[in-house]
Structure formats: structure tokens, C-alpha cells
Amino acid sequence: MTILDQPPVTAASKIFNFPRNAWYVAAWDHEVTAKQPLARTIADVPLALWRNSDGRAVAMADACWHRLAPLSKGKLFGDEIQCPYHGLRYNSAGRCTSMPAQETINPSAIVPSYPVVERHRYVWVWVGDPDLADSGSVPDMHQMDSPDWAGDGETIYAPCNYQLVLDNLMDLTHEEFVHSSSIGQDELSEAEFEVSHDDTHVTVTRWMRDIDAPPFWLKNMRDKFPGFSGKVDRWQIIHFEAPSTICIDVGVAKAGTGAPEGDRSQGVNGFVMNTITPETARTSHYFWAFMRNYRLESQTITTQLRQGVHGVFGEDEEMLAAQQRAIDANPDHEFYSLNIDAGGMWVRRILDRMLQAEGLPAAAAAK
Amino acid sequence: MAVNTQTWWQQGRVVEADDLAEGVRRIVLSPDRPVHATPGTHVDLRLDLDGHVRTRSYSVLRSEDGGRRLTLGVQLAPSSRGGSRHMHGLEVGDVVEMTGPVQSFPLGVGADRYVLVAGGIGVTALVAMADSLRRRGADYTLVLAGRRRAVMAYLEELADTHGDRIRVFVDDEGVRLDVDALVGEIAGGPAPARTEMYMCGPIRLMDAIRRAWVAHELPEPNLRFETFGSSGAWAAEEFVVHLPQHDRSVAVTTDTSMLDALEDAGVDVMWDCRKGECGICQVKVLDVDGRIDHRDVFLSKKQKETNTSLCLCVTRAARGEPERSEPAAVTLHLP
């Protein structure tokens, strides 16, 4: 039976499994240093992340070959990491280079090292089959390090299954209820939206015309157009790329100046960059940034936007944690879908097919 | 991906068995609990050899259908420890006790170049690695060396798959592998410090490569190898172990190891890897009558020359001179 013959019956799994054959962000580039290893679990694999003397990022299993002591608690010596317990040293390929009290090195003494790509200000790792690790398949987040965009972001440690974060971002109707003081407004749940997809992407487009700008967007308009007041056309174009990257093209423009038709010159445009890395079935590393293409020179605006989004996403974090607790507390209850879940359901379909191709079930193993 | 360094036992059914080359049998096993075997993994089989249960390791040549089909290649070694004779007698439908795939020879990621060197049946450890590197689009060379073309397993298939990435050396055709030239080429080639070599073959070939590797000042951690302690400087012959502490002597036949023979005789000895790597079964040598054929990779060359200790799991004793009629003997002090 081929993959396509199988009905996607498990698309509403509550604790969604995650593909292993994928690039996941393990860290911001500045978090991985040649001074001290960083411990982080990516897709159930505990890793020690560090840089060698060439500046190359290294991702190694965080367990010494000998007695599995965590290498992330060890020291770095140029191109080598030293186990904190008995001093075994490994090079960046994971091969042991030094063992205490013997003249040779056991040929089996190797710690798994994983493919790494550094791109878009992130360190991406591949914990699946290394034969399939094509660096060309790193998700497109080019706004992160393009000279045409400026901004910054943070990491949220989200105590929930990664799919809950994807659901959150694929439908922004929740802004009206969760973020009523900043970006929420009634028109969100009233506006029509369109969904399109291919094998690895899903796009959800929503336009709200001739509306009042909510506080967050009014501030942004005034940063570009001092003293602005009046109606705006607002857009949210959600771009999902498998397995877990969502870049949301957001903005507002003076109403009726042609933004829906393609002329955004009378508006402000941001990209909410999100990439969610499953840590375990019930925890996620949620890397986000807000990038803008106006007033690139202003570090003040960068800081204000980062703080603003920090506040907004803090509201999401609280909801996601509460949702995960409720899911776990109600194991006999199922998920049901609303019209607004169309985008999120296409994401599940794509993930489900990736999991099937790896021979993995859509539902993660029970806790 | 699963790291597979744990040993657990299961049953496997022989689903195919045929000849790969002269004296080389292809055995396809279908395990009870299939797990994909990554390149470089082996399985251990529990074999009943003349009433003694023995464990033998075989590289997984190929893992298909998520590990539901594991292919082994076994060379019949007349002077082996008996495992290969047993393996050559396996027929379709036979059931064997086997471990899940065990990984102690993993193929790395991120090197600029890879050179795989197979001596004889050592090719079984490298076939899956070569396939993997080809899939990755990596820069690699597969070097195959053997005594005669007829005994070299998978030669044609590998040549078809890997085209000009393969280099074949056959002794009796006068095209012998020049180890120093091969290693010198790596040292003088692009990215020598970022080239990894993976080798599997007779210990003498591997020793020669290791010497050349060091002589050309290539980084030692980049030289990877796997040995099951199954080849040495002399063919296996019968010898005697004297244990003055226990006031007894134990004979070691050609198809058993010193460690197995001592355990069979009820001597309590400590061991771990059983393939000459870890040094846990190291014991003191008090006297040698004949020559010690160390076969391990734990002791350094210097330590082996002094003959003050040996690894029970793979080391043998040999007469050294064929005309001598008395078997060799070693006198050991056990911890």
C-alpha cells in the first residue's frame, strides 16, 4: 500500500507525533559558542551544541560513550569537548581522541554527531536519517537576515505539543479573544479567509478592509507616518512550510490605497517569523521574531516591537499551557474542528504524510 | 535516529541463503523485532558449536524494508573458530538466536571526503556505508582489495553501483594495493585533515594502513576501523594455557578462543567487548613458549612487543616455527 492509499484517519490526534527527517531549529546562532556547550533536547534527542575553532556549529549526542555522563557539562578545548566525568575527549565528528589510563583508543568510542546547517540566524539540526539531510530543504526564513528587513525575537519554552502552537498560528481568529488589548478586533472573526496548499506548504489569507487599526498597528503606522489617523486595510497572510515553520505576512495600509491589489507603499509591513521545534511530545521550543521592512535604522522600534510581541505571545503561551493541561486531564475527549481550522487541518495532513513516510504513527506514544 | 548500541536478543529466520562468491555465503535473516540497521552495524549470533554456545559477530551488509531483511555475508574460514562452518550450513527456514543491530562502527556526517577500504570479506562492513554516501551525494572512494577475483564478494554489483568511485586491487592479477601510495594520495589531496577513512579487513592490512596514516601525519581520529579479532599474524592453531594460581592447564582448540576455553573450564574471568577493544579481559603474561599473536587493538604496539599482558578474548599463541611439534603455551596470572 502506498502512502497516498492510506486514509488520514489520525489527523486529529491530540498529541501529534513529529517527523525526524526534518531540519529543526536547535538554537539562535548566538546561543552556540566555542566557550561552553549548550544542552538542548531536539525531537527527543538530547544534544550538546558547541562551536569548534573554525566557528562551525556542532551538534552531538549529550552522553559520553563510556558511562553516558552529559557532555554538555564538560569543557571545550579548541576542536574537542571533554567529558566532565572521566576526561574522555571527542572531536567535532564525535570520535574519541583521548582516553584515560590507556595507550590506545577504543575504535568503537564514538558519540553520534548530527548534521547541522546555520542559516537565517539559527542553528538547524537534523536528527533523522543523515542520508536525507539536504541543506537545500531548510525552511525559507530569509527575512531573518536580509538587509531589507530589521527586527529581533526570542524563544518561548512552550509546555505543550508542537502541533498546538501550529494550530494557534494557522488561525488568527484567536487574536480577537486572546489578544484583545493589542492586535485583536471584532473584524477578525467576521472576515472571510482563503486557504491554499501544496505538498509542503499551506497558505491562509485574510483581508479586513476599511477598519480601525488596533493599538499595535496604529503605533506602527505612526512610526512610519507620524500623526496618522483614519481607517486601514489590514492583512494576515500565513505561510506554513513543513514541518513546523510559519512566517506570517502582516500589516496595515491606509484604507483604499491599493494594498490588497499589491501597492503597500501607504502601509507598514511586518513578518512574524515562527519556527517550532518539538522538544518532547509535550514540550516545544518556540523560536519567534518580528521583522519589518520600514524604519530599518531604528533600534528603538526593534526593541519596542520585540517587547510588544513578547507581551502578545505571553498570552498565547499561557493559553497553550492551559490547553495542554486540559488535554491531559481529559484523555477520553476528542478534538472537533471548526471552519476556521481549515489551515491547521491541512498542516496536520502534511505532517501525517511525512510521519507515514517514516513509518511513524501520527499519535505520539503515551506519556 | 536510533543509536543502536544496546544488545538485546531475538530470533531470526533464514529466508534466503546462497553463494555470493567462492567460499562466501549470503544469508538473509528476517528478525522477530525488525529494526533498521544503519551502515556499520553488526548483529551477534548465538551459535551452538559442538555443544558449546558461542557468540559470533557479523556485519549487516544491507538492511531492507525497515530491517525486516538483514543480509549477512559469511566467509568460510578453514581455521576459524567454527562459526563460519556453522553459518555455511544454515538453510532457508532455520531459526537463529540473534541480537538486534548493534552499532559500533558508525558512518560520520560532515567530513569533506570519505575513503572506504575493504580487505577481503571486510567488504561486508562497508557496502551499506558506500550506498549511504552515494545517496548523500558525498565525495567518496571505495577501495576493494582481495587475493583472487573469484573470492571477492559483491565485486560486480559494487562496480555497477559505484562506477568510477570504486578501485579494485587483486593480488593474483598483479594489481596489489599499495597502502603507502593510497594514504599518500589522501595526504596530498584536497582537505586531508577533513578526510575520514573507514577500513575493515585482515589485521595486517589495517596495521599497514595505520602505520602509513601516522607516517603521513593524518589525524588519527579520522581513521575508523572495525575488527572482530578474527585475524592475526598466524593461522589459528591449538595451544595450551597454564594457570599456576589454579594449578591447572587448559587446552585451546583452533575453533575456540582462550576466553571461551577458560570459561568452559569453569575459570571465572572478567570480560566485556569480546573483540579485543576494551581491555577488560587483559591479564598478565608470566611466560610464553612460542609466540603470542595478540590480535587485539587495545594494547599499543609497544605494549604488544613487551608481551607482559594480553587480551583473553582474541589473543592466541602460535608455535611460530611450523617444524616445531609441541603446541605453543602461555602462562598467565589472572586477576
Side-chain angles (χ1 to χ4, degrees), chain B residues 26-315:
Chain B
R26 185 181 76 113
I27 296 157
V28 182
L29 296 172
S30 168
D32 274 355
R33 291 160 59 193
V35 173
H36 174 64
T38 53
T41 46
H42 65 268
V43 288
D44 291 343
L45 269 64
R46 233 178 236 155
L47 307 175
D48 184 350
L49 306 179
D50 301 328
H52 296 295
V53 175
R54 300 284 188 244
T55 302
R56 296 288 181 264
S57 301
Y58 298 97
S59 296
V60 177
L61 246 162
R62 195 156 275 163
S63 166
E64 294 161 294
D65 196 13
R68 283 171 188 82
R69 283 170 53 88
L70 299 179
T71 303
L72 315 182
V74 182
Q75 183 174 43
L76 181 62
S79 68
S80 87
R81 294 176 286 162
S84 69
R85 244 185 299 129
H86 182 96
M87 294 294 285
H88 273 239
L90 288 177
E91 289 173 12
V92 170
D94 285 351
V95 171
V96 294
E97 290 287 311
M98 63 184 288
T99 62
V102 182
Q103 178 60 282
S104 55
F105 189 37
L107 177 63
V109 297
D112 288 356
R113 288 185 72 209
Y114 297 85
V115 180
L116 313 180
V117 181
I121 195 64
V123 70
T124 54
L126 302 173
V127 170
M129 284 194 190
D131 286 345
S132 195
L133 291 169
R134 186 169 164 272
R135 272 196 300 276
R136 289 187 204 172
D139 181 1
Y140 71 98
T141 304
L142 174 59
V143 178
L144 303 176
R147 279 195 211 95
R148 289 187 296 124
R149 205 167 269 271
V151 301
M152 293 172 70
Y154 275 105
L155 198 54
E156 275 178 35
E157 192 188 321
L158 290 170
D160 285 349
T161 308
H162 299 285
D164 57 7
R165 295 208 170 265
I166 210 163
R167 292 165 69 179
V168 180
F169 299 92
V170 186
D171 290 355
D172 80 345
E173 293 175 8
V175 194
R176 298 178 71 97
L177 172 61
D178 180 341
V179 165
D180 195 65
L182 175 73
V183 176
E185 221 175 283
I186 293 168
R194 295 191 54 82
T195 299
E196 286 177 2
M197 180 185 277
Y198 292 77
M199 59 176 180
C200 189
I203 196 111
R204 268 184 286 192
L205 171 67
M206 298 210 288
D207 280 343
I209 290 176
R210 194 179 302 120
R211 279 194 301 273
W213 196 264
V214 172
H216 285 279
E217 296 180 341
L218 290 163
E220 281 193 71
N222 290 1
L223 182 62
R224 312 285 181 85
F225 56 95
E226 179 164 61
T227 163
F228 298 117
S230 52
S231 71
W234 288 276
E237 54 185 81
E238 191 168 327
F239 64 100
V240 180
V241 184
H242 298 304
L243 304 171
Q245 278 163 293
H246 299 262
D247 194 22
R248 64 189 294 190
S249 297
V250 175
V252 183
T253 56
T254 55
D255 60 1
T256 192
S257 71
M258 207 171 351
L259 180 56
D260 286 337
L262 291 179
E263 288 199 311
D264 289 345
V267 181
D268 201 8
V269 285
M270 184 51 70
W271 50 267
D272 190 14
C273 77
R274 298 188 88 107
K275 54 182 181 174
E277 294 183 350
C278 72
I280 291 287
C281 67
Q282 178 183 206
V283 296
K284 283 200 187 92
V285 177
L286 301 176
D287 193 24
V288 190
D289 181 13
R291 307 288 290 274
I292 292 182
D293 189 1
H294 281 281
R295 298 184 173 207
D296 67 277
V297 294
F298 170 75
L299 297 170
S300 67
K301 190 163 173 284
K302 206 170 69 193
Q303 288 170 318
K304 284 173 184 170
E305 281 162 5
T306 64
N307 273 344
T308 52
S309 64
L310 58 76
C311 295
L312 287 173
C313 62
V314 295
T315 300

Side-chain angles (χ1 to χ4, degrees), chain A residues 193-205:
Chain A
F193 59 91
E194 269 179 40
V195 180
S196 64
H197 70 92
D198 63 20
D199 290 344
T200 50
H201 297 79
V202 180
T203 304
V204 180
T205 305

